[in-house]
Amino acid sequence: MTDDIRIGVLLDTTVRGSDDDPRELIAFAVRAERLGFDSVWVNDTLLSPQIEPLTLLAALAPATERVTLGTAVLMPVLRRPLTAARALASVDLLSGGRLIAGLGAGFPGRFGRPLYDLSEVPWERRFARLDETVALWRHLWSGEPSGSFHGEFLHFDALPEPTRTYRPGGPPLWLGGASPTALARTGRDYDGWLPYPPEPAEYENGLVQIRSASSAAGRAPGAVTPALYVTVLIAEDAERGRAELAPYIKGTYGLSLEELSKIQLLLTGTPEDVTSGLRDYLAAGARHIVCRIGTTDPGKRIDQLGHIAELIPGLTLSP
């Protein structure tokens, strides 16, 4: 795309009943690629019956040719670090270097701490544990003899020979999160930023802090890809869109549309409404937009995919 702007779509990987055929996700991803999307993404949780994300990306690797395959976001706490490193390297190899691993450490509430309880990992100092896991992965993917690794949480006297990655140094690792500490970590240690702030000014301010932290760490300008996670639903007008989006939000989060809109970016309304909203974030610095389609209806998801694809030519930095 022009101006180096990328548009992706999140796959709905929840298996809601016996009539759901998860193999249709592959056809959906292929359709997205043919419609001009730059990337397809999967999320990660143990709290709903979903297809395991890295398994799905491995299935998508030979079925697609061009699109980036990403996690939005992967929760490393759910996996043993060495097993996760091998799985990520395998997807990177199978896709010919098209993997981006968006990562998260969870946030307080329904979708955070329970994952740690299920994984039998302490909630405390979760971001430090994530950073150390990333350091281990990069050590394994460095191309140097594996040797040993000793950190605060992870201790390996003799690491096995790792599965190599397609790209030297491994796939890009992006961080989801917008707290001051998350912004500092992103600028210092990660390759991309994937937040969902509800206001463009909040995004712009966060990006300023990331770039400051990146510069202070001696990294090159542009070392961190500024991305954006957004829930989208195209409708006849904004009022009808919000009415259609509300049950999806309630079913997913147990929150009202009004409550979630204070936390996450939600865009609905006419194509012009949504395009205008996305352009505000492009002006604030976003360059890779990941769209979650705000419906659980399979037919509507396909229709919405086409509607969002029609927006792509208009998503440039020009007014």
Side-chain angles (χ1 to χ4, degrees), residues 82 85-86 89 139-141 143-147 158-165:
L82 292 177
R86 175 161 293 182
H139 174 72
L140 291 167
W141 298 335
E144 301 296 327
S146 298
L159 288 166
E161 181 178 356
T163 302
R164 69 176 178 88
T165 56

Side-chain angles (χ1 to χ4, degrees), residues 32-118:
E33 182 174 63
R34 291 173 179 170
L35 286 172
F37 285 85
D38 298 288
S39 55
V40 293
W41 300 76
V42 293
N43 65 356
D44 190 22
T45 186
L46 287 178
L47 303 179
S48 61
Q50 293 184 338
I51 298 298
E52 200 282 322
L54 298 182
T55 302
L56 178 55
L57 293 186
L60 292 178
T64 57
E65 299 177 355
R66 173 186 56 80
V67 288
T68 294
L69 305 176
T71 57
V73 293
L74 191 76
M75 298 290 290
V77 67
L78 303 181
R79 297 161 183 81
R80 299 302 302 163
L82 292 177
T83 304
R86 175 161 293 182
L88 289 165
S90 298
V91 174
D92 196 48
L93 279 172
L94 291 167
S95 66
R98 290 186 284 133
L99 175 66
I100 292 176
L103 307 174
F107 53 89
R110 176 182 173 187
F111 297 98
R113 189 158 192 157
L115 295 175
Y116 284 76
D117 294 340
L118 289 168

Side-chain angles (χ1 to χ4, degrees), residues 15 42 61 63 89 114 124 135 161 167 174 176 182 241 256 272 275 289 302:
V15 182
V42 293
E124 293 72 24
E161 181 178 356
R167 288 164 290 185
W174 293 6
S256 69
E272 293 76 18
T275 298
I289 298 173
I302 292 175

Side-chain angles (χ1 to χ4, degrees), residues 257-288:
L257 184 70
E258 290 70 22
E259 290 172 315
L260 191 68
S261 64
K262 298 175 182 178
I263 304 169
Q264 289 191 17
L265 174 58
L266 312 172
L267 291 178
T268 188
T270 66
E272 293 76 18
D273 292 335
V274 173
T275 298
S276 177
L278 292 176
R279 279 182 176 164
D280 288 342
Y281 283 85
L282 295 178
R287 291 297 177 269
H288 197 140

